[in-house]
């Protein structure tokens, strides 16, 4: 029995959820998100909540149960509050700035890196070394943050690079004479 899967997902006021043609769609103040439903899982709308349960007693249905409930909860959270990831840039001369529909990164290369901002994602740079990524789709926000971080991962000797806020960089000692 899935402890996570047993809990119903509450749908707050101002949010509507519908299930039709194998698609769960949730509409709220921050937009509309959809998710394809899985045949092994049954979804039910009742009393302002979404209930997720396995449709049969197969191993696949039990394995998908908790994950599908979490994905439904992410849809509801996305259309109400949205998701945010914050990246911190460390290094001399490393900086970021939003210019139109691009994020311009200066990361010590001989050229600037222009990252096109995808639809549904908002990128802000409160200062030159902080990048805030906001959106209603949790997967898309995480993917954009990972793609930006991939340009210059933090290195263990000086700690230079792009890291997530709160991430710990394991530091190594340099060469000794």
């Amino acid at each position: 029995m899935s402890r996570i899967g047993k809990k119903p997902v509450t749908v707050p006021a101002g949010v509507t959820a519908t299930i039709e043609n194998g698609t769960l769609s949730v509409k709220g103040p921050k937009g509309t998100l959809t998710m394809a439903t899985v045949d092994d899982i049954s979804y039910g709308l009742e009393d302002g909540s979404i209930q997720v349960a396995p449709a049969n007693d197969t191993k696949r249905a039990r394995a998908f149960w908790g994950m599908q409930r979490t994905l439904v909860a992410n849809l509801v959270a996305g259309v109400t509050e949205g998701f945010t990831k914050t990246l911190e840039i460390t290094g001399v001369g490393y900086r970021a700035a939003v210019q139109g529909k691009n994020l311009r990164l200066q990361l010590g290369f001989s050229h600037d890196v222009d990252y096109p901002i995808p639809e549904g994602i908002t990128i802000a740079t409160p200062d030159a070394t902080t990048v805030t990524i906001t959106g209603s789709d949790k997967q898309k926000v995480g993917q954009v943050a990972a793609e930006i971080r991939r340009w210059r991962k933090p290195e263990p000797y000086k700690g230079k690079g792009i890291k997530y806020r709160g991430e710990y960089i394991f530091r190594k000692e340099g060469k000794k004479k």
Side-chain angles (χ1 to χ4, degrees):
M1 294 288 289
S2 172
R3 292 182 188 183
I4 295 171
K6 284 191 271 183
K7 297 177 186 173
V9 179
T10 58
V11 179
V15 176
T16 58
T18 57
I19 301 170
E20 54 189 31
N21 300 335
T23 305
L24 170 67
S25 97
V26 181
K27 185 176 182 184
K30 297 230 180 213
T32 303
L33 292 175
T34 59
M35 177 183 85
T37 59
V38 179
D39 294 336
D40 293 329
I41 303 295
S42 65
Y43 304 85
L45 294 166
E46 61 221 21
D47 300 333
S49 67
I50 303 171
Q51 186 70 37
V52 180
N56 48 43
D57 198 30
T58 62
K59 187 173 183 176
R60 184 174 191 265
R62 290 192 315 270
F64 273 51
W65 186 12
M67 180 189 65
Q68 290 297 312
R69 189 260 179 211
T70 303
L71 291 176
V72 171
N74 287 343
L75 292 181
V76 173
V79 297
T80 54
E81 297 113 39
F83 295 99
T84 301
K85 285 257 187 196
T86 304
L87 299 172
E88 295 173 344
I89 302 173
T90 308
V92 176
Y94 288 13
R95 63 183 75 98
V98 175
Q99 295 180 341
K101 294 195 178 278
N102 288 327
L103 174 68
R104 175 157 286 185
L105 299 165
Q106 295 175 347
L107 300 172
F109 298 122
S110 60
H111 55 85
D112 292 348
V113 175
D114 283 337
Y115 181 79
I117 300 171
E119 285 293 319
I121 297 292
T122 306
I123 296 181
T125 51
D127 56 67
T129 60
T130 306
V131 178
T132 305
I133 303 157
T134 311
S136 59
D137 188 356
K138 185 173 186 175
Q139 192 275 332
K140 194 182 263 189
V141 169
Q143 183 65 36
V144 168
E147 287 173 1
I148 293 170
R149 182 180 184 269
R150 190 172 58 203
W151 280 103
R152 184 72 84 178
K153 289 184 182 173
E155 53 95 15
Y157 295 102
K158 292 184 180 178
K160 292 168 37 173
I162 303 173
K163 69 180 184 94
Y164 297 112
R165 175 164 282 161
E167 179 183 9
Y168 175 74
I169 306 301
F170 179 75
R171 302 297 295 271
K172 292 183 178 178
E173 192 174 346
K175 286 200 295 187
K176 292 184 181 151
K177 278 194 164 184

